[in-house]
Amino acid sequence: MSYTAYEVKDFIGTLTINRPEALNALNGELIGELFKTLKEIASTDLRCLVITGKGEKSFVAGADIEEMLSLAPSEALEYSRTGNELMNVIADFPSPVIAAVNGYALGGGLELALACDIRMAAENAVFGFPEVSLGILPGYGGIKRIVNLIGAGKAKELLFTARRVKAEEALSLGIVNSVHPPAELMSDVLITAAQIAGNAPRAVRNTKKAANNVAGLAAPHFTESEGALFKECFGTMDQRNAMCAFLEKRKPVAFTGI
Ligand code: CAA
């Protein structure tokens, strides 16, 4: 079974993350498929790429918590590096990328949406960084991207509280470009994609590069310091306690800082 589906029509590609049984959470195999597909299609004459999640409930519910639970600190560093590389492939994709956020965009799922150029959300979309409630931090470059997008004050409030934000609030915070009735999301996204695809392809691609080069907006690259901070959270009692609790569908016991 494939965790991704890809189709192209009129120079517009649609890449669907297809793991609805786990709310499209990103596991290693899925991440490998995304790298492969993105590499293959980057050299085609695509004029716009749409990324969405399979089903009506979730865009991407984050990195796979079951996979992360037992990571050793050194493995967590590699995990973060790989995730950062994937997000940078999306951010640096030659043509514009639209995230069609059709439900939960949490943790690594929000980081993925933030790596896209434009975010269009369904009314039922939910955004948030639950990481600190899982004993870790967003490890896929999303901290820099959310700070760049909405400013440090608003970003830090979301990052520190782990609270979930509905689509309308995400719009007012500047996280998403627009909000749509769920049944109209894809058709509205395709209208925007067609507007982009109707413009001169080289001009659009070069405009994306120029926009990404503007100070503070360039695709952030993996830094050892960010990786080290992510790594340091792994193997702690708080991380194991919170991730086990999620998988066992119960509340974590009180955090201790150990
Ligand atoms: N990893 C692994 N499995 C996940 C998952 C995730 N991130 N999110 C959901 N699932 C699985 C659930 O375990 C469940 O599986 P089973 O049916 O086998 O029990 C299935 O998807 C459906 O999920 P729920 O039963 O929890 O659905 P719900 O409607 O009650 O809740 C939800 C939906 C609020 C999104 C909830 O699933 C949730 O909180 N998910 C986790 C979100 C999260 O914390 N994401 C961040 C991960 S950390 C990260 O991404 C760090 C990073 O930067 C690397």
Side-chain angles (χ1 to χ4, degrees), residues 20-192:
E21 66 282 7
L23 303 184
N24 303 320
L26 302 172
N27 65 9
E29 202 177 331
L30 201 167
I31 286 176
E33 281 188 32
L34 286 174
F35 269 120
K36 187 167 172 284
T37 306
L38 289 164
K39 188 172 177 215
E40 279 166 11
I41 63 178
S43 56
T44 66
D45 59 0
L46 209 62
R47 295 185 185 181
C48 186
L49 175 65
V50 176
I51 301 182
T52 194
K54 181 83 176 173
E56 288 165 7
K57 200 171 160 184
S58 185
F59 174 70
V60 172
D64 190 296
I65 295 170
E66 197 172 349
E67 259 187 12
M68 282 186 293
L69 169 66
S70 313
L71 290 182
S74 60
E75 292 170 320
L77 183 63
E78 270 323 294
Y79 197 83
S80 170
R81 189 192 306 275
T82 305
N84 263 270
E85 279 167 12
L86 176 66
M87 300 309 150
N88 287 338
V89 167
I90 294 168
D92 291 336
F93 193 77
S95 48
V97 184
I98 304 177
V101 185
N102 56 310
Y104 290 113
L106 299 173
L110 177 50
E111 295 183 276
L112 196 158
L114 291 170
C116 298
D117 299 294
I118 296 169
R119 284 152 293 283
M120 296 174 71
E123 285 163 353
N124 64 311
V126 176
F127 300 82
F129 289 109
E131 281 87 348
V132 292
S133 69
L134 288 166
I136 60 167
L137 56 113
Y140 288 172
I143 294 180
K144 284 172 283 194
R145 289 197 170 94
I146 192 73
V147 168
N148 278 340
L149 188 66
I150 67 171
K154 291 181 203 165
K156 284 179 179 174
E157 190 248 325
L158 294 180
L159 289 160
F160 298 162
T161 60
R163 78 177 172 91
R164 292 188 204 149
V165 170
K166 291 185 180 162
E168 279 305 327
E169 188 181 352
L171 181 65
S172 72
L173 284 168
I175 295 174
V176 299
N177 296 68
S178 52
V179 177
H180 308 258
E184 291 163 28
L185 176 67
M186 275 318 277
S187 55
D188 289 348
V189 165
L190 291 174
I191 290 170
T192 301

